[in-house]
Amino acid sequence: MKTLTLDDLNKVDCLRFLFNGAFDSSRGVEHGLAPFLDALEQHAHGWMPTFVKTSRRRKYARAAVWSAIEERRADYGSIIGLFRSENPGVSLSLTLGLTQTEPDLSVRLNIQPLSFFAEEEACRGFVAVARGWASRYPSHHAAAHSAADLNLADSPAFGRDDETWKRDGFDKIYELFWLNIFGPKLVESVGRERMLSTPAHLVEELPNGSVLLVLRPTAADFDSEEARVAQARAHVHLRPDLDFDTLLRTLRERSAALVPVEPRFHPDVAPLFSRLPDAFALSERQRKIAELNAFRPAEPEEWLPVALPSDVENPERVRSHYDDLSEGLVAVLHTDVPSIMKETPESLTDLDFHFWKTHFPERYTREVLDGHTIPALGAYLGDVLVRRLGGTWVLRQKREESQVRIGKRVWLPFLRARRYMQSRESLLEYSLTQFFKEAERYRP
């Protein structure tokens, strides 16, 4: 079974629960962690983790958890992962800070897809898990919500304003989410009576003085108009200094940012652009798709209507050098881009995506790019034109003038490679994918 990876979590929205609570290990880790596992095993209906993973993978069992914790023991404590590969997928990172002045238990839980929590029964089970943890491991503040919407929020440690959290802690209620846990300090700052009278689906006082607040019966419809109104209304109740209309407008803007945009990429770059959106955070993805839809690549200028005559004395030696350059590129990149060995249009798109995703032009000096990468890439691009479009090399002493003749045009792969590798943006503006598509139109 495949472990749920960060890339997987970035493809579809998930329910994210960020929880940090006090941990008492005075009677041993197993005793202190038992209530945590009790809550999971009793209430994680349909999404219970099935295996434990550290340096090795074990089927879920308490004994496996204890073994994993000991295996990952370090100066600070221990960190392990609990996972589920079946639908819904689960990734739970559990960190035990055992040697701190105030030992704690930190959880980062993702359950995918978010649509699993469109049903009230699933949500009730999740709330029961949160209740069990918050009752046993006192927390200053914790929340569960759509991961995409969390990234758009301004709440410290949950959204973008991490510096505020580091400076002030959770000194006030910055945001409300689908599920919220407020520690006694936050409750008292608001006023316990006011907190307990919040207009919400569930407001429950826990034995340790914390308050569990759930806005609505289900989590998946967080971006509906009804949910946004409820979110704003409850937030203003807890923060009378805020303006309801302003809050609601901001929440509606967040919902609008997550509305799916249909990809309509230019056909010459569609093979590449169709792969780009998954590289962006869910909160940015729809805006990026709209931007990519509007992108219109400039017609390639790296061609001549008439070939410059070859001026090399030993064509075989030059071609052999080009082969060495091309093979060098394949040797360096074949692990990251396996298709490069096939010299196909698809391999060019794979190279485009690899260079863009890894910020390649920004990671290496101009000396490396100009002296190694660009010459190798130009030779490889030319070879693909020769092999796949029936082109013919026309060699020149000045490498950037070397051409590949296809039909009535000659193409300049080394010049294209130089322009292509100037910046991360130029990888899209001068993509290898588009260059091949344009050259293909002139194939006899």
PDB file of all heavy atoms in Angstrom, residues 132-149:
ATOM      1  N   GLY A 132     -12.020  13.862  23.199  1.00  0.00           N
ATOM      2  CA  GLY A 132     -11.195  12.981  24.020  1.00  0.00           C
ATOM      3  C   GLY A 132      -9.791  13.530  24.207  1.00  0.00           C
ATOM      4  O   GLY A 132      -9.243  13.503  25.320  1.00  0.00           O
ATOM      5  N   TRP A 133      -9.195  14.034  23.145  1.00  0.00           N
ATOM      6  CA  TRP A 133      -7.841  14.582  23.249  1.00  0.00           C
ATOM      7  C   TRP A 133      -7.820  15.851  24.092  1.00  0.00           C
ATOM      8  O   TRP A 133      -6.965  16.020  24.955  1.00  0.00           O
ATOM      9  CB  TRP A 133      -7.287  14.869  21.862  1.00  0.00           C
ATOM     10  CG  TRP A 133      -7.026  13.636  21.050  1.00  0.00           C
ATOM     11  CD1 TRP A 133      -7.108  12.344  21.460  1.00  0.00           C
ATOM     12  CD2 TRP A 133      -6.626  13.597  19.684  1.00  0.00           C
ATOM     13  NE1 TRP A 133      -6.781  11.491  20.423  1.00  0.00           N
ATOM     14  CE2 TRP A 133      -6.485  12.226  19.326  1.00  0.00           C
ATOM     15  CE3 TRP A 133      -6.382  14.558  18.714  1.00  0.00           C
ATOM     16  CZ2 TRP A 133      -6.103  11.826  18.043  1.00  0.00           C
ATOM     17  CZ3 TRP A 133      -5.994  14.171  17.440  1.00  0.00           C
ATOM     18  CH2 TRP A 133      -5.858  12.814  17.101  1.00  0.00           C
ATOM     19  N   ALA A 134      -8.771  16.773  23.811  1.00  0.00           N
ATOM     20  CA  ALA A 134      -8.773  18.053  24.516  1.00  0.00           C
ATOM     21  C   ALA A 134      -9.074  17.887  26.002  1.00  0.00           C
ATOM     22  O   ALA A 134      -8.610  18.672  26.832  1.00  0.00           O
ATOM     23  CB  ALA A 134      -9.793  18.991  23.879  1.00  0.00           C
ATOM     24  N   SER A 135      -9.844  16.858  26.350  1.00  0.00           N
ATOM     25  CA  SER A 135     -10.171  16.617  27.757  1.00  0.00           C
ATOM     26  C   SER A 135      -8.974  16.063  28.520  1.00  0.00           C
ATOM     27  O   SER A 135      -8.807  16.329  29.715  1.00  0.00           O
ATOM     28  CB  SER A 135     -11.347  15.633  27.867  1.00  0.00           C
ATOM     29  OG  SER A 135     -12.508  16.171  27.274  1.00  0.00           O
ATOM     30  N   ARG A 136      -8.152  15.302  27.833  1.00  0.00           N
ATOM     31  CA  ARG A 136      -7.022  14.631  28.507  1.00  0.00           C
ATOM     32  C   ARG A 136      -5.717  15.419  28.397  1.00  0.00           C
ATOM     33  O   ARG A 136      -4.870  15.348  29.284  1.00  0.00           O
ATOM     34  CB  ARG A 136      -6.830  13.235  27.897  1.00  0.00           C
ATOM     35  CG  ARG A 136      -5.705  12.430  28.508  1.00  0.00           C
ATOM     36  CD  ARG A 136      -5.927  12.209  30.004  1.00  0.00           C
ATOM     37  NE  ARG A 136      -4.864  11.406  30.591  1.00  0.00           N
ATOM     38  CZ  ARG A 136      -3.677  11.883  30.955  1.00  0.00           C
ATOM     39  NH1 ARG A 136      -3.401  13.172  30.784  1.00  0.00           N
ATOM     40  NH2 ARG A 136      -2.766  11.079  31.487  1.00  0.00           N
ATOM     41  N   TYR A 137      -5.556  16.180  27.303  1.00  0.00           N
ATOM     42  CA  TYR A 137      -4.302  16.908  27.064  1.00  0.00           C
ATOM     43  C   TYR A 137      -4.632  18.392  26.895  1.00  0.00           C
ATOM     44  O   TYR A 137      -4.901  18.843  25.771  1.00  0.00           O
ATOM     45  CB  TYR A 137      -3.589  16.361  25.820  1.00  0.00           C
ATOM     46  CG  TYR A 137      -3.457  14.849  25.837  1.00  0.00           C
ATOM     47  CD1 TYR A 137      -4.345  14.046  25.108  1.00  0.00           C
ATOM     48  CD2 TYR A 137      -2.471  14.230  26.596  1.00  0.00           C
ATOM     49  CE1 TYR A 137      -4.237  12.669  25.134  1.00  0.00           C
ATOM     50  CE2 TYR A 137      -2.360  12.844  26.630  1.00  0.00           C
ATOM     51  CZ  TYR A 137      -3.244  12.061  25.896  1.00  0.00           C
ATOM     52  OH  TYR A 137      -3.138  10.703  25.937  1.00  0.00           O
ATOM     53  N   PRO A 138      -4.668  19.147  27.981  1.00  0.00           N
ATOM     54  CA  PRO A 138      -5.107  20.546  27.918  1.00  0.00           C
ATOM     55  C   PRO A 138      -4.366  21.344  26.844  1.00  0.00           C
ATOM     56  O   PRO A 138      -3.138  21.289  26.747  1.00  0.00           O
ATOM     57  CB  PRO A 138      -4.787  21.073  29.318  1.00  0.00           C
ATOM     58  CG  PRO A 138      -4.798  19.859  30.188  1.00  0.00           C
ATOM     59  CD  PRO A 138      -4.264  18.747  29.344  1.00  0.00           C
ATOM     60  N   SER A 139      -5.134  22.072  26.048  1.00  0.00           N
ATOM     61  CA  SER A 139      -4.580  22.831  24.921  1.00  0.00           C
ATOM     62  C   SER A 139      -4.945  24.307  25.044  1.00  0.00           C
ATOM     63  O   SER A 139      -6.047  24.648  25.474  1.00  0.00           O
ATOM     64  CB  SER A 139      -5.141  22.272  23.605  1.00  0.00           C
ATOM     65  OG  SER A 139      -4.706  23.041  22.508  1.00  0.00           O
ATOM     66  N   HIS A 140      -4.011  25.170  24.660  1.00  0.00           N
ATOM     67  CA  HIS A 140      -4.316  26.599  24.642  1.00  0.00           C
ATOM     68  C   HIS A 140      -5.331  26.912  23.535  1.00  0.00           C
ATOM     69  O   HIS A 140      -6.251  27.698  23.716  1.00  0.00           O
ATOM     70  CB  HIS A 140      -3.041  27.410  24.418  1.00  0.00           C
ATOM     71  CG  HIS A 140      -2.042  27.262  25.518  1.00  0.00           C
ATOM     72  ND1 HIS A 140      -2.299  27.636  26.812  1.00  0.00           N
ATOM     73  CD2 HIS A 140      -0.778  26.755  25.514  1.00  0.00           C
ATOM     74  CE1 HIS A 140      -1.241  27.394  27.563  1.00  0.00           C
ATOM     75  NE2 HIS A 140      -0.304  26.839  26.801  1.00  0.00           N
ATOM     76  N   HIS A 141      -5.113  26.262  22.383  1.00  0.00           N
ATOM     77  CA  HIS A 141      -6.003  26.495  21.245  1.00  0.00           C
ATOM     78  C   HIS A 141      -5.735  25.427  20.203  1.00  0.00           C
ATOM     79  O   HIS A 141      -4.589  25.046  19.967  1.00  0.00           O
ATOM     80  CB  HIS A 141      -5.753  27.879  20.645  1.00  0.00           C
ATOM     81  CG  HIS A 141      -6.647  28.202  19.486  1.00  0.00           C
ATOM     82  ND1 HIS A 141      -6.189  28.315  18.199  1.00  0.00           N
ATOM     83  CD2 HIS A 141      -7.984  28.428  19.422  1.00  0.00           C
ATOM     84  CE1 HIS A 141      -7.196  28.609  17.392  1.00  0.00           C
ATOM     85  NE2 HIS A 141      -8.300  28.688  18.115  1.00  0.00           N
ATOM     86  N   ALA A 142      -6.774  24.929  19.575  1.00  0.00           N
ATOM     87  CA  ALA A 142      -6.637  23.940  18.514  1.00  0.00           C
ATOM     88  C   ALA A 142      -7.809  24.097  17.564  1.00  0.00           C
ATOM     89  O   ALA A 142      -8.849  24.660  17.935  1.00  0.00           O
ATOM     90  CB  ALA A 142      -6.598  22.521  19.083  1.00  0.00           C
ATOM     91  N   ALA A 143      -7.646  23.614  16.344  1.00  0.00           N
ATOM     92  CA  ALA A 143      -8.712  23.782  15.361  1.00  0.00           C
ATOM     93  C   ALA A 143      -8.632  22.710  14.292  1.00  0.00           C
ATOM     94  O   ALA A 143      -7.555  22.188  13.980  1.00  0.00           O
ATOM     95  CB  ALA A 143      -8.637  25.161  14.707  1.00  0.00           C
ATOM     96  N   ALA A 144      -9.799  22.386  13.716  1.00  0.00           N
ATOM     97  CA  ALA A 144      -9.897  21.487  12.567  1.00  0.00           C
ATOM     98  C   ALA A 144     -10.718  22.195  11.501  1.00  0.00           C
ATOM     99  O   ALA A 144     -11.765  22.790  11.797  1.00  0.00           O
ATOM    100  CB  ALA A 144     -10.561  20.172  12.960  1.00  0.00           C
ATOM    101  N   HIS A 145     -10.250  22.113  10.254  1.00  0.00           N
ATOM    102  CA  HIS A 145     -10.908  22.880   9.197  1.00  0.00           C
ATOM    103  C   HIS A 145     -10.362  22.406   7.850  1.00  0.00           C
ATOM    104  O   HIS A 145      -9.398  21.651   7.777  1.00  0.00           O
ATOM    105  CB  HIS A 145     -10.593  24.368   9.400  1.00  0.00           C
ATOM    106  CG  HIS A 145     -11.460  25.310   8.636  1.00  0.00           C
ATOM    107  ND1 HIS A 145     -12.806  25.477   8.897  1.00  0.00           N
ATOM    108  CD2 HIS A 145     -11.179  26.160   7.613  1.00  0.00           C
ATOM    109  CE1 HIS A 145     -13.307  26.398   8.084  1.00  0.00           C
ATOM    110  NE2 HIS A 145     -12.333  26.813   7.287  1.00  0.00           N
ATOM    111  N   SER A 146     -10.973  22.881   6.787  1.00  0.00           N
ATOM    112  CA  SER A 146     -10.442  22.659   5.437  1.00  0.00           C
ATOM    113  C   SER A 146      -9.001  23.151   5.357  1.00  0.00           C
ATOM    114  O   SER A 146      -8.693  24.290   5.737  1.00  0.00           O
ATOM    115  CB  SER A 146     -11.285  23.429   4.413  1.00  0.00           C
ATOM    116  OG  SER A 146     -10.527  23.843   3.303  1.00  0.00           O
ATOM    117  N   ALA A 147      -8.105  22.301   4.855  1.00  0.00           N
ATOM    118  CA  ALA A 147      -6.702  22.698   4.734  1.00  0.00           C
ATOM    119  C   ALA A 147      -6.542  23.872   3.778  1.00  0.00           C
ATOM    120  O   ALA A 147      -5.741  24.778   4.021  1.00  0.00           O
ATOM    121  CB  ALA A 147      -5.870  21.513   4.254  1.00  0.00           C
ATOM    122  N   ALA A 148      -7.301  23.864   2.699  1.00  0.00           N
ATOM    123  CA  ALA A 148      -7.199  24.958   1.727  1.00  0.00           C
ATOM    124  C   ALA A 148      -7.609  26.276   2.352  1.00  0.00           C
ATOM    125  O   ALA A 148      -6.949  27.307   2.165  1.00  0.00           O
ATOM    126  CB  ALA A 148      -8.065  24.651   0.508  1.00  0.00           C
ATOM    127  N   ASP A 149      -8.697  26.274   3.101  1.00  0.00           N
ATOM    128  CA  ASP A 149      -9.175  27.509   3.704  1.00  0.00           C
ATOM    129  C   ASP A 149      -8.275  27.941   4.859  1.00  0.00           C
ATOM    130  O   ASP A 149      -8.107  29.147   5.100  1.00  0.00           O
ATOM    131  CB  ASP A 149     -10.617  27.341   4.184  1.00  0.00           C
ATOM    132  CG  ASP A 149     -11.330  28.664   4.373  1.00  0.00           C
ATOM    133  OD1 ASP A 149     -11.243  29.510   3.460  1.00  0.00           O
ATOM    134  OD2 ASP A 149     -11.973  28.857   5.417  1.00  0.00           O
TER     135      ASP A 149
END
